[in-house]
Amino acid sequence: MQSLPAASLNTHPILDPSGLGPVPGIPLVPESLRRRHHAFIATDQRFRAAARLLQALWRVDRGLPIGTYTDPEGRRRKLGSRISMAAGLAGANFLSPAIAYVASRELAYREIGAVYDVDRLHMNLLSSQPLVFNLFAPLKRDLALATKVVAEILPGLMAEVTDILFEHAPARGHLAFTGDHTAFDLLIRGRTPSGKRAFIAVEVKYSESCQEPVPSMHSRYAELSASSGLFIQPEAASLRANPIQQLFRQHCLAQVMLQHDLADCGIYLFIAPTLNHLAQGAAATYAQHLAEPQSGQALFVNVALEHLIEAIAEVGEHNHARALYRRYCDWWLIDGELQLDAAPSTPEALAVEADPAASLEQAS
């Protein structure tokens, strides 16, 4: 596996003007604080709980009306990480009207068989679906910009980006490929400096834990995994189970695209936040299954979400990078909420905090 270092988190001056540097890690957010912001879901793992609260804070900052969900008892409840249907349909889940326009066009002209959860796309702030558009819609609108960003994260791969496709698979269900509906969040097409056809097949995670329902594994994967040369043990059952079965399926799809001469070279790119330990753990586990890369194979590359946002800032899109960072990666906002939550609230408590010795004297 190739991986760009996650240590760059919070180091770009555009994204860290305060100079605070990286947060110590993702905190355990108290249930009381999450409930106060209508951001408590009992099943949330550590990163997802913090990310849900971050999205709730972003919604409040934007003045967006809160949305609802149905709890396990069938009751409708407010949820801070969702927006109302009216706000969602107006495009409020996207960082700009231009991004919302791209999303609406992609939905209208989506590939036959492409799967979109339209409610999640419009109303779920925590979903990776709107994140994909928020990251890449400006690049789709400006391929010269896309070329610069790709050069930052994958130097030397593409001299020119020629196309960007959302929710793409070359031939869903076709036995010449994977025989199922496996698809990429995004496919970036371009040309190498020597003029060869290249692609980047992209999977984006935000708060996901890589524990989605496991689909029935088509028999075609046995053939593809054996013929690809990608894997140390292509028959390994763990490749076909969570947390890495999706990575396995998508990497096989990327490789068979090369075998069918849809490109001369390709990369399967995994993007997730540095501090999403479950997603990053899945990427690391998957990499352990990979054989030494050979010519003609699709390489697996793991790039931190923060590194991609920094690349967007580096090529001059400062406002867009700031907006992405504020919404998805500014964990100091969670730290601020924790400090406010822990602060004493009564005059007596404040006095004890200021002079605990004096307080003890009075008590005696």
Side-chain angles (χ1 to χ4, degrees):
M1 179 187 73
Q2 297 183 6
S3 180
L4 290 181
S8 61
L9 175 62
N10 283 6
T11 59
H12 197 289
I14 295 298
L15 307 181
D16 185 27
S18 64
L20 290 173
V23 292
I26 286 294
L28 283 168
V29 183
E31 178 179 332
S32 59
L33 177 57
R34 292 152 64 192
R35 286 190 181 278
R36 192 175 310 140
H37 290 275
H38 300 287
F40 176 74
I41 297 292
T43 55
D44 280 350
Q45 38 88 356
R46 182 169 180 157
F47 180 86
R48 191 174 180 85
R52 189 181 301 280
L53 177 57
L54 186 62
Q55 294 306 303
L57 297 175
W58 181 84
R59 178 189 56 77
V60 171
D61 284 350
R62 301 273 288 211
L64 297 173
I66 194 169
T68 61
Y69 80 110
T70 302
D71 70 13
E73 287 75 42
R75 294 171 295 189
R76 298 291 292 176
R77 293 188 177 276
K78 293 179 179 179
L79 188 59
S81 59
R82 291 181 65 91
I83 55 178
S84 70
M85 181 177 293
L89 293 177
N93 206 3
F94 304 106
L95 293 177
S96 71
I99 294 173
Y101 175 78
V102 171
S104 69
R105 295 286 294 177
E106 291 296 325
L107 278 178
Y109 289 96
R110 60 186 178 266
E111 296 173 3
I112 294 173
V115 177
Y116 281 100
D117 186 329
V118 177
D119 283 349
R120 286 177 63 83
L121 181 65
H122 286 306
M123 292 177 282
N124 189 336
L125 304 177
L126 197 61
S127 171
S128 60
Q129 286 187 357
L131 171 58
V132 172
F133 283 104
N134 283 328
L135 283 169
F136 292 104
L139 277 60
K140 168 127 182 149
R141 289 168 56 88
D142 184 348
L143 296 180
L145 172 63
T147 300
K148 294 176 183 177
V149 172
V150 168
E152 286 289 327
I153 61 172
L154 297 168
L157 176 65
M158 288 183 180
E160 179 189 15
V161 171
T162 57
D163 199 8
I164 294 179
L165 306 174
F166 290 88
E167 192 60 30
H168 174 73
R172 286 174 174 82
H174 200 295
L175 283 174
F177 290 87
T178 57
D180 62 9
H181 281 62
T182 294
F184 307 117
D185 286 334
L186 193 84
L187 189 79
I188 302 173
R189 289 175 174 159
R191 294 277 178 178
T192 69
S194 63
K196 291 182 178 180
R197 300 164 299 159
F199 70 76
I200 306 168
V202 182
E203 174 62 22
V204 177
K205 301 294 186 189
Y206 181 52
S207 68
E208 293 87 349
S209 61
C210 298
Q211 293 293 331
E212 62 275 350
V214 179
S216 176
M217 201 68 64
H218 197 282
S219 60
R220 180 77 170 113
Y221 286 103
E223 305 167 20
L224 293 175
S225 59
S227 65
S228 67
L230 293 172
F231 307 104
I232 297 170
Q233 293 183 302
E235 72 284 355
S238 53
L239 285 169
R240 296 154 173 83
N242 281 334
I244 64 173
Q245 53 82 22
Q246 185 184 28
L247 282 70
F248 167 71
R249 290 186 290 109
Q250 291 178 328
H251 201 176
C252 285
L253 179 57
Q255 183 61 31
V256 78
M257 288 171 63
L258 294 179
Q259 292 173 0
H260 283 284
D261 196 34
L262 297 184
D264 301 304
C265 59
I267 282 176
Y268 172 44
L269 181 64
F270 183 79
I271 298 170
T274 302
L275 297 177
N276 184 340
H277 60 287
L278 294 177
Q280 292 295 343
T285 298
Y286 182 67
Q288 294 173 0
H289 286 268
L290 298 178
E292 284 296 316
Q294 304 295 322
S295 176
Q297 290 180 339
L299 296 179
F300 174 60
V301 179
N302 179 21
V303 171
L305 173 62
E306 294 86 353
H307 190 100
L308 176 56
I309 295 173
E310 286 181 352
I312 292 170
E314 195 65 35
V315 300
E317 292 297 309
H318 298 158
N319 290 339
H320 184 50
R322 284 193 196 97
L324 285 165
Y325 179 77
R326 162 60 186 86
R327 176 162 174 183
Y328 293 108
C329 302
D330 194 353
W331 305 110
W332 282 115
L333 295 173
I334 302 300
D335 185 81
E337 291 295 320
L338 288 172
Q339 293 190 49
L340 288 172
D341 189 57
S345 56
T346 66
E348 293 79 9
L350 288 170
V352 170
E353 184 183 66
D355 191 355
S359 178
L360 285 172
E361 247 182 58
Q362 291 174 5
S364 62

